[in-house]
Amino acid sequence: MKFDTPATTNPIDQLKVVGKPVDRIDGPMKTTGRAPYAYERHDAIPDIAYGYVVGASIAKGRIASMDLARAKAAPGVLAIVTAAEAGKLTKGDFNTAMLLGGPEIEHYHQAVAVVVAETFEQARAAANLVKVEYVRAKGTFDLASAKDGATKPKDGGPDSGVGDFEAAFAAAPVKLDETYTTPDHGHAMMEPHASIAAWKGDKLSLWTSNQMIAWGAGDVAKTLGVPRENVRLMSPFIGGGFGGKLFVRADAILAALGAKAAGRPVKVALTRPLMFNNTTHRPATIQRIRIGTDRDGRITAIGHESWSGDLPGGGPETAVQQTRLLYAGANRMTRTRLAVLDLPEGNAMRAPGEAPGLMALEVAVDEMAEKLGMDPVDFRILNDTQVDPEKPSRPFSQRRLNECLRTGADKFGWSRRSRTPGQTRDGRWLVGMGVAAAFRNNLVMKSAARVRLETSGVVTVETDMTDIGTGSYTIIAQTAAEMMGVPLTSVNVRLGDSSFPVSAGSGGQWGANSSTAGVYAACVKLREAVATKLGLDPAAAEFADGRVKVGNQSLPLAQAAAAGPVTAEDFMEYGDLTKTHQQSTFGGHFVEVGVDAWTAEIRIRRMLAVCAAGRILNPKSARSQVIGAMVMGAGAALMEELVVDKRIGFFVNHDLAGYEVPVHADIPHQEVIFLDETDPMSSPMKAKGVGELGICGVGAAVANAIYNATGVRVREYPVTLDKLLEGMPVLA
Amino acid sequence: MRSFTYERAKSPREAAAAVAADPTARFIAGGTNLLDLMKLEIETPARLVDVNGLKLDEIAPTKDGGLRIGALVRNTDMAADKRVRKDYGVLSRALLAGASGQLRNKATTAGNLLQRTRCPYFYDTNMPCNKRTPGAGCSAIGGFTRTLAVLGASEACIATHPSDMAVALRLLDATVQTVTPDGTERSIPIADFHRLPGDTPQVETALARGELITSVTLPKPIGGRHTYRKVRDRASYAFALVSVASVIQKDGSGRIALGGVAHKPWRVEAAEAALPRGAKAISEGLLAGARTTAQNGFKLTLAERAIGAALAEARA
Amino acid sequence: MAILDDLQLSRREVMATGAAVGVAAAPGVAGAAPAEAAPSIMKVSFTVNGKRQTLELDTRTTLLDALREHLKLTGSKKGCDHGQCGACTVIVDGRRINSCLSLAVMHEGDEVTTIEGLGTPEKLHPLQAAFVRHDGYQCGYCTPGQICSAKAVLDEIKAGVPSHVTADLTAKIQFSEDELRERMSGNICRCGAYSNIVAAVVEVAGGPLLGKGA
């Protein structure tokens, strides 16, 4: 099915099941510990040996020699695979560095060997006996010093411009020119990257933890040099990804190589201390923002430049993206530059681009409002645009940013905020409020599904879509239930298997809308097949309460499958609506913080997000996506930083004690309001993504609240107490 | 983790003798730090002597009005003990500021004292570290130092001691009781228990090989207002950037000890005379001789302000 | 004040920025046993979810790996294996611990309760049901640890164990959301379900467990 004209009324609009805050259907399995994650598939395959990964101890250079003798002789060891033994490996389409390094070493903790043994304890001990001699090469590890040598990336439209930014900025009566930095961030999902590999002849089964099954199957096949059809990936439960599991990582490849070498199924999990340098991360940025306005606060010039680094062949953090679309202004400029760094591979993490981009832009906007003596909510509203400011002929499909901001201000008690910072005291706490706009584009992706009416009347949905905590199981079930007129309990959803039709996968907040649209397409086909089987007119048939009805005629749905299951498969693909209309999601973040007047410790007291993101398929799980993203954004604002040792070239704080992410005590009760809306330009579901919107802007709202509380403006994230201390009040 | 044999000790003396006689042996109690380090092969014992069965888990009053806390009392139990809460609030507070509920349920008095530094370079065996391999050099110096020592450090090591409990014990003038391999018992003032790194940062305490901690004794209560102010980026489950243990008397006199700033709990008794004159006054003596980096210089300001906060809290 | 950053340490080969040869090997510790020593195997018996279990284990096996790899009770999760995340939380003799930082052989005779012992998908424990109702999880990986921890936290408050945020150490401990947040802080949820987890536990705590107004 192709979606190329705006959606009209369809069965989803009944909203009998879709749009309801139903409990997740996978909840009972997850809360009882019965949901099996990748490393736990004892049920699927017996006699699994254990692999343990050895990571490189240098950042750049090559292996001079490896001594495996002691490790091979260690008790229980079945096999050791290094690049020297692995045969030809080809880098996957989605990888920047080799997943098994050697002889070249491209980054710290790049895998150089996997040791396979009978037990985990034996594999771990033997891995420590692998002796490697390296020849170090000079590397570049410091973004600030590499910045001037950064170049314009070849792809992705790194530059944009409208009007004459430089002239307009120079002429603007009020202007801001500031530079902001965001550090490297780790995904730090709770489930480490993990895989079990089993070979049957030349066919590979891989139980793994991966967000994008089809990409993954393709890259496993490519890396190992086996036909794609010989690789099966299964990933029904994923313990968090946030972009860190978009791509195949070393666990999968080394499990496959280890299993081949050992002649047994092998499982491999990356250890937590290895993960931060071995896998991908959100790259650090340096961002220069210039805004010029007239005296009334209308933006006349807006410029955003961003620098980030990555390994050779890698890509930039697209931190300027939102600045092309978020605010009006006749003269515009964005630039993205990329430096070569020999740190671990930079890549997508929840809301790549916008998450760090808005951490800078929305502080700049706050600063600009203050220069103008305007309320930051009013300043944003004044500079709203209903069209793509770079291409005014292109309207937004829906854009209710102003309503998000107004509603939020009202509900949050924004009017109680002191305009002068450092004025509000609550005991030992300096209290401040901050606001920021949330913005993230809505992407649509081709997505397929297979639906089957079983003889029992149960509807089974199969798609390689993944549920990384997003709620995919539930919203897909809701979609099928709505379409087929059955209760949620009569839908069986099977996900994350590369033998199922290829879906949109989980990434870029496109999963919910795109994957359910694919299920919608398959259900449309199944409805036709069912009606035809029942001898009813497919065009007139209504599906409700487990029955199919045309006029006075009403037959049980299950009757269509009396002679055997009825199956339909289809996909949803997209026409030009994303070109003619800009599809984005919007929100307003409101945060109140307390800053200890003595120690400058920062604690968040209240958080509210108001979101406009099309139809909300399940308000319960969608709300969870938003609050969860707000937590991650709070972490980015207050504590998260992969610290680069610029001498050695690695992330120093590479465990969960060193890389602090928010804990319970950091997060207060959170409020989320969804504006009631549908977006017929997005898909027949009229839904848009929401999983990344929640992180977009929230970090800036926290930083702005800290400024409002203390009067200290910090432009280097994270905003930690050491950066505030000098500006704190003198106390007796 | 290297392979090891495991045995349960029958008596403190036997345990001490066993470990003293075997350089590959280590005691294990709660295990929350030792196992962590064994997994990374920072610790590589070939023999573990489990002391959990030694009945050193009592808290009992002493003749002179103090409290003797068994070496195996779990951190949770020490913090929850009614006598500790009433008379040694700073100790209860310090314990509760540390780690997590799960860890406190396992961690013991002795293990808490003996926990090793959280310096990230100590934790990465690819990085030279004088604690792990004496003479190898210190990778932390010149590297990421934000969390590291500003007082009492050396050119060999700038690690800090991570314990909160030990800071309160230092403040309270506790003593550490041990049994040595030959069966003699000794008592070590807490001030002498932890060492500064000097040229031998691998030697962290005054304990001899095989010497087993049996208890920690608190002198009789000193009254006053007890506070433990732990400053960290995250609101909980994080090590201190700086912590301040304080007992302040009604007349403004009192005691101050700092955590998160040195290789041992940091207290300068001579400086405490300045306490009635405020945070700045005491900080001059307490922080004298500090050596900082661009990354951790804030700890001095923070320490002074946190002392100010503690004094304000005591006055309130 | 001297700046330690400026100190020169000639022994720090690792700082060499040019081409140099460095050797990474297992760190040597004087007196350590040969690393290739055969595993030491021991028998241990404990009760898991009411069922007596006897295992022959490599002494290095943690309680967590004994549960997950030997008893196939994979509800307890390995998130970090270093006591830094709480996903492995189980209840031993009534107390919550990080099972990743405890050797299985040290649990002779102990009673272990894991998430599998609290309820089943068909018959959820009240906390499990509340987590489902309040969406107190997303990816689900930290969830068993959160629930085991929450169960123990409610017992700890009942037993009068104070916390970092307890205002008065000598008074009876009052249940509050702040108490809950502090006590649950050893269980990290990267999906950020904290607000919902607190709502779920408060609902259960407000029921028969602690009485209204607690």
Side-chain angles (χ1 to χ4, degrees):
Chain A
M1 187 178 279
K2 188 163 188 173
F3 184 76
D4 50 10
T5 54
T8 54
T9 303
N10 67 51
I12 296 297
D13 295 318
Q14 300 172 98
L15 298 180
K16 288 180 182 166
V17 194
V18 169
K20 295 278 191 282
V22 300
D23 293 344
R24 290 177 199 236
I25 61 173
D26 49 336
M29 285 182 80
K30 283 180 173 172
T31 55
T32 58
R34 267 69 168 189
Y37 295 79
Y39 199 74
E40 302 165 356
R41 298 309 297 272
H42 309 288
D43 61 315
I45 187 104
D47 195 29
I48 309 170
Y50 292 79
Y52 197 94
V53 178
V54 181
S57 63
I58 63 165
K60 186 176 164 71
R62 63 180 178 81
I63 293 173
S65 67
M66 292 181 94
D67 180 356
L68 308 179
R70 282 183 75 197
K72 278 188 172 156
V77 170
L78 300 168
I80 300 178
V81 182
T82 69
E85 282 98 44
K88 185 178 177 326
L89 298 175
T90 307
K91 194 161 69 189
D93 290 341
F94 294 94
N95 297 130
T96 306
M98 292 296 289
L99 296 176
L100 178 58
E104 292 305 312
I105 298 300
E106 297 161 280
H107 62 88
Y108 191 74
H109 275 173
Q110 183 174 27
V112 295
V114 63
V115 177
V116 180
E118 289 286 349
T119 71
F120 172 69
E121 292 75 22
Q122 290 169 334
R124 178 176 57 191
N128 269 292
L129 298 172
V130 171
K131 198 170 156 190
V132 188
E133 288 196 32
Y134 297 96
V135 178
R136 265 172 230 284
K138 190 171 164 52
T140 306
F141 309 120
D142 180 18
L143 177 61
S145 51
K147 175 177 172 258
D148 289 342
T151 58
K152 186 165 149 179
K154 281 195 281 294
D155 312 314
D159 289 3
S160 72
V162 176
D164 186 344
F165 168 76
E166 297 289 347
F169 181 72
V174 187
K175 51 190 155 195
L176 167 134
D177 180 354
E178 292 291 356
T179 297
Y180 306 84
T181 62
T182 63
D184 299 284
H185 290 151
H187 304 85
M189 70 296 277
M190 297 315 297
E191 180 203 24
H193 301 263
S195 298
I196 301 176
W199 293 88
K200 200 170 181 183
D202 56 0
K203 291 198 188 313
L204 173 66
S205 291
L206 208 50
W207 292 267
T208 188
S209 188
N210 190 292
Q211 299 174 223
M212 299 293 293
I213 299 304
W215 293 1
D219 262 1
V220 168
K222 181 172 180 179
T223 305
L224 299 175
V226 301
R228 160 76 195 256
E229 58 272 20
N230 286 5
V231 176
R232 183 172 172 200
L233 248 63
M234 284 153 285
S235 205
F237 288 96
I238 296 151
F242 315 113
K245 292 174 182 168
L246 284 168
F247 318 116
V248 171
R249 298 302 314 171
D251 56 301
I253 298 304
L254 294 182
L257 292 171
K260 186 125 236 178
R264 285 221 348 229
V266 167
K267 60 172 165 179
V268 174
L270 300 185
T271 63
R272 183 60 66 176
L274 195 77
M275 283 170 66
F276 293 88
N277 285 284
N278 176 274
T279 71
T280 63
H281 65 278
R282 186 202 301 285
T285 65
I286 298 171
Q287 302 179 50
R288 181 187 185 194
I289 295 177
R290 283 175 282 174
I291 303 174
T293 68
D294 64 20
R295 295 206 185 280
D296 297 330
R298 273 173 225 285
I299 294 172
T300 53
I302 185 164
H304 192 161
E305 297 156 86
S306 174
W307 292 263
S308 63
D310 201 358
L311 287 166
E317 180 70 20
T318 56
V320 305
Q321 286 305 311
Q322 72 290 321
T323 309
R324 300 177 62 179
L325 291 161
L326 188 50
Y327 296 113
N331 301 285
R332 322 178 64 85
M333 175 277 291
T334 71
R335 268 186 218 124
T336 302
R337 293 294 178 268
L338 176 63
V340 172
L341 293 181
D342 299 298
L343 292 171
E345 176 179 338
N347 220 312
M349 178 170 148
R350 201 170 200 170
E354 278 93 336
L358 284 161
M359 285 170 78
L361 178 65
E362 288 298 286
V363 171
V365 166
D366 199 67
E367 295 197 62
M368 198 66 201
E370 189 182 33
K371 277 179 194 279
L372 289 158
M374 289 181 74
D375 185 287
V377 171
D378 297 339
F379 177 60
R380 287 180 173 89
I381 287 173
L382 179 69
N383 287 291
D384 185 46
T385 173
Q386 291 294 313
V387 298
D388 175 351
E390 288 183 2
K391 215 175 173 189
S393 61
R394 195 167 163 262
F396 283 91
S397 61
Q398 292 263 5
R399 179 173 162 129
R400 294 164 73 195
L401 174 60
N402 289 357
E403 201 177 330
C404 291
L405 292 167
R406 286 198 186 102
T407 304
D410 180 44
K411 301 281 183 199
F412 200 69
W414 183 251
S415 60
R416 294 199 302 274
R417 168 183 175 267
S418 164
R419 284 220 187 166
T420 316
Q423 300 296 306
T424 310
R425 230 7 224 274
D426 175 8
R428 69 185 225 220
W429 298 99
L430 304 172
V431 180
M433 290 190 215
V435 64
F439 174 91
R440 175 78 175 149
N441 283 335
N442 180 59
L443 305 174
V444 290
M445 296 273 281
K446 182 179 175 182
S447 194
R450 182 160 59 228
V451 287
R452 190 166 54 246
L453 178 65
E454 313 284 1
T455 51
S456 61
V458 164
V459 176
T460 300
V461 186
E462 292 172 337
T463 166
D464 84 355
M465 181 61 191
T466 49
D467 189 330
I468 60 174
T470 40
S472 308
Y473 275 106
T474 310
I475 56 171
I476 284 172
Q478 287 174 276
T479 303
E482 193 82 61
M483 291 298 291
M484 301 311 297
V486 297
L488 206 52
T489 49
S490 294
V491 181
N492 181 22
V493 182
R494 302 177 64 198
L495 299 182
D497 187 326
S498 63
S499 69
F500 297 157
V502 176
S503 74
S506 299
Q509 79 166 14
W510 62 62
N513 178 55
S514 298
S515 71
T516 53
V519 173
Y520 170 95
C523 286
V524 167
K525 245 191 188 166
L526 183 61
R527 285 163 62 111
E528 287 167 9
V530 164
T532 307
K533 283 241 180 219
L534 294 174
L536 300 171
D537 174 10
E542 287 172 40
F543 290 67
D545 307 321
R547 302 184 73 83
V548 189
K549 209 171 84 174
V550 175
N552 293 333
Q553 237 186 323
S554 170
L555 296 168
L557 178 72
Q559 190 179 311
V566 187
T567 303
E569 183 175 331
D570 201 0
F571 55 81
M572 184 65 75
E573 61 181 342
Y574 296 85
D576 286 340
L577 290 175
T578 53
K579 295 194 182 74
T580 59
H581 292 74
Q582 175 58 37
Q583 294 188 21
S584 304
T585 61
F586 303 90
H589 282 292
F590 292 81
V591 171
E592 183 179 277
V593 302
V595 180
D596 189 295
W598 291 99
T599 61
E601 289 158 287
I602 307 155
R603 301 291 178 253
I604 297 176
R605 295 156 68 103
R606 294 193 295 138
M607 298 182 98
L608 164 70
V610 183
C611 302
R615 172 175 284 153
I616 300 303
L617 301 173
N618 181 334
K620 186 176 281 195
S621 55
R623 179 180 171 280
S624 293
Q625 283 289 289
V626 175
I627 64 166
M630 288 157 73
V631 171
M632 196 176 277
L638 295 177
M639 62 190 82
E640 293 186 35
E641 176 177 14
L642 286 168
V643 178
V644 179
D645 186 316
K646 292 163 190 165
R647 308 162 306 173
I648 304 166
F650 78 124
F651 298 131
V652 184
N653 50 339
H654 54 76
D655 61 21
L656 285 174
Y659 185 79
E660 291 185 7
V661 300
V663 296
H664 273 277
D666 291 298
I667 303 300
H669 177 71
Q670 297 167 302
E671 296 281 354
V672 180
I673 296 168
F674 292 112
L675 297 188
D676 187 13
E677 72 172 30
T678 53
D679 191 338
M681 299 286 180
S682 71
S683 82
M685 304 304 294
K686 304 173 187 172
K688 292 193 283 201
V690 73
E692 297 186 333
L693 180 64
I695 195 175
C696 294
V698 69
V702 173
N704 293 338
I706 293 167
Y707 174 74
N708 184 244
T710 63
V712 183
R713 183 69 77 178
V714 177
R715 300 185 184 88
E716 291 177 6
Y717 287 101
V719 186
T720 45
L721 60 90
D722 45 316
K723 297 170 188 170
L724 299 177
L725 275 176
E726 294 304 325
M728 295 299 284
V730 177
L731 299 165
Chain B
M1 193 185 291
R2 309 260 182 101
S3 197
F4 58 84
T5 60
Y6 168 84
E7 68 206 59
R8 298 183 183 97
K10 306 263 186 324
S11 73
R13 188 182 163 176
E14 245 179 87
V19 171
D22 181 352
T24 74
R26 292 288 311 263
F27 300 118
I28 186 165
T32 51
N33 191 211
L34 182 60
L35 291 172
D36 171 31
L37 295 169
M38 284 169 65
K39 288 177 186 194
L40 299 167
E41 295 203 3
I42 294 167
E43 297 273 7
T44 52
R47 177 177 174 192
L48 284 185
V49 178
D50 182 348
V51 295
N52 281 293
L54 296 185
K55 311 264 186 271
L56 300 170
D57 52 1
E58 295 226 317
I59 302 180
T62 62
K63 286 199 298 285
D64 45 3
L67 216 49
R68 183 181 300 263
I69 299 163
L72 292 169
V73 171
R74 306 293 149 170
N75 287 177
T76 299
D77 297 320
M78 198 200 306
D81 184 90
K82 289 228 155 55
R83 296 159 291 187
V84 174
R85 282 153 78 176
K86 181 168 151 287
D87 294 329
Y88 307 95
V90 64
L91 177 56
S92 190
R93 290 272 179 220
L95 285 158
L96 295 170
S100 66
Q102 291 95 312
L103 291 165
R104 292 194 296 270
N105 278 342
K106 267 278 158 204
T108 62
T109 310
N112 191 319
L113 280 175
L114 294 174
Q115 64 182 303
R116 306 199 66 191
T117 183
R118 306 302 300 206
C119 173
Y121 297 89
F122 170 74
Y123 260 81
D124 188 330
T125 53
N126 293 323
M127 300 297 144
C129 171
N130 286 322
K131 274 186 182 293
R132 278 189 276 104
T133 313
C138 169
S139 343
I141 294 173
F144 173 48
T145 57
R146 180 173 183 259
T147 57
L148 300 179
V150 293
L151 287 158
S154 71
E155 293 184 15
C157 181
I158 58 170
T160 55
H161 196 270
S163 171
D164 292 296
M165 180 194 78
V167 181
L169 292 180
R170 177 74 181 82
L171 188 82
L172 294 169
D173 288 331
T175 53
V176 181
Q177 285 70 52
T178 67
V179 57
T180 59
D182 63 7
T184 54
E185 294 179 9
R186 70 164 176 155
S187 191
I188 307 165
I190 186 75
D192 302 332
F193 185 81
H194 292 108
R195 296 166 42 107
L196 289 177
D199 292 334
T200 54
Q202 75 278 12
V203 183
E204 295 169 352
T205 69
L207 295 180
R209 167 103 220 140
E211 189 170 3
L212 178 71
I213 298 174
T214 52
S215 65
V216 167
T217 300
L218 303 173
K220 72 173 192 226
I222 55 170
R225 181 75 186 259
H226 290 225
T227 66
Y228 188 77
R229 187 65 185 264
K230 182 175 184 179
V231 185
R232 41 193 165 177
D233 295 320
R234 190 154 85 174
S236 185
Y237 200 22
F239 294 96
L241 294 168
V242 166
S243 67
V244 177
S246 68
V247 175
I248 308 293
Q249 305 296 341
K250 279 217 170 76
D251 63 2
S253 69
R255 305 175 180 184
I256 298 275
L258 301 178
V261 294
H263 203 256
K264 60 188 283 187
W266 195 257
R267 184 174 170 207
V268 179
E269 279 89 339
E272 287 169 2
L275 195 52
R277 290 188 283 118
K280 194 174 179 58
I282 184 177
S283 295
E284 271 169 29
L286 186 58
L287 305 176
R291 295 202 299 171
T292 61
T293 69
Q295 293 171 24
N296 65 22
F298 77 94
K299 286 191 174 190
L300 301 184
T301 314
L302 182 59
E304 185 185 320
R305 295 186 71 100
I307 292 168
L311 295 177
E313 194 181 331
R315 281 196 302 267
Chain C
M1 284 172 206
I3 300 296
L4 282 173
D5 280 354
D6 294 333
L7 292 174
Q8 292 293 316
L9 282 185
S10 58
R11 289 172 300 191
R12 280 186 283 135
E13 289 176 358
V14 69
M15 308 314 165
T17 48
V21 177
V23 177
V29 172
E36 296 89 337
S40 173
I41 307 293
M42 276 186 78
K43 198 174 189 176
V44 63
S45 296
F46 44 74
T47 302
V48 182
N49 302 326
K51 195 172 159 195
R52 187 84 180 158
Q53 302 281 1
T54 300
L55 296 168
E56 297 247 341
L57 294 174
D58 186 321
T59 51
R60 293 172 290 188
T61 311
T62 60
L63 176 59
L64 176 63
D65 284 331
L67 293 168
R68 282 171 61 83
E69 306 302 328
H70 295 267
L71 298 174
K72 314 295 186 208
L73 290 169
T74 54
S76 307
K77 303 302 184 194
K78 188 183 279 191
C80 73
D81 214 17
H82 287 275
Q84 301 164 354
C85 80
C88 66
T89 303
V90 301
I91 300 169
V92 177
D93 294 341
R95 293 185 156 208
R96 56 180 172 146
I97 66 164
N98 295 122
S99 61
C100 76
L101 286 187
S102 201
L103 295 172
V105 293
M106 293 174 76
H107 289 280
E108 181 64 39
D110 285 355
E111 285 196 18
V112 181
T113 303
T114 71
I115 191 72
E116 290 92 344
L118 294 186
T120 64
E122 297 73 33
K123 194 167 189 287
L124 299 174
H125 180 278
L127 274 166
Q128 291 168 328
F131 268 63
V132 173
R133 214 158 37 241
H134 290 274
D135 218 34
Y137 58 93
Q138 289 177 39
C139 80
Y141 200 77
C142 76
T143 313
Q146 299 275 358
I147 291 173
C148 286
S149 205
K151 183 180 185 308
V153 161
L154 296 181
D155 291 341
E156 285 164 18
I157 293 174
K158 252 167 98 174
V161 175
S163 88
H164 174 60
V165 299
T166 304
D168 182 352
L169 285 177
T170 56
K172 185 177 186 308
I173 311 298
Q174 298 295 316
F175 180 83
S176 72
E177 290 189 13
D178 279 348
E179 282 283 358
L180 198 52
R181 289 191 186 103
E182 163 58 24
R183 290 163 192 268
M184 291 294 291
S185 285
N187 292 87
I188 292 176
C189 170
R190 185 58 162 163
C191 295
Y194 297 131
S195 190
N196 290 350
I197 292 170
V198 168
V201 182
V202 164
E203 183 183 285
V204 173
L209 216 50
L210 283 162
K212 275 283 169 207

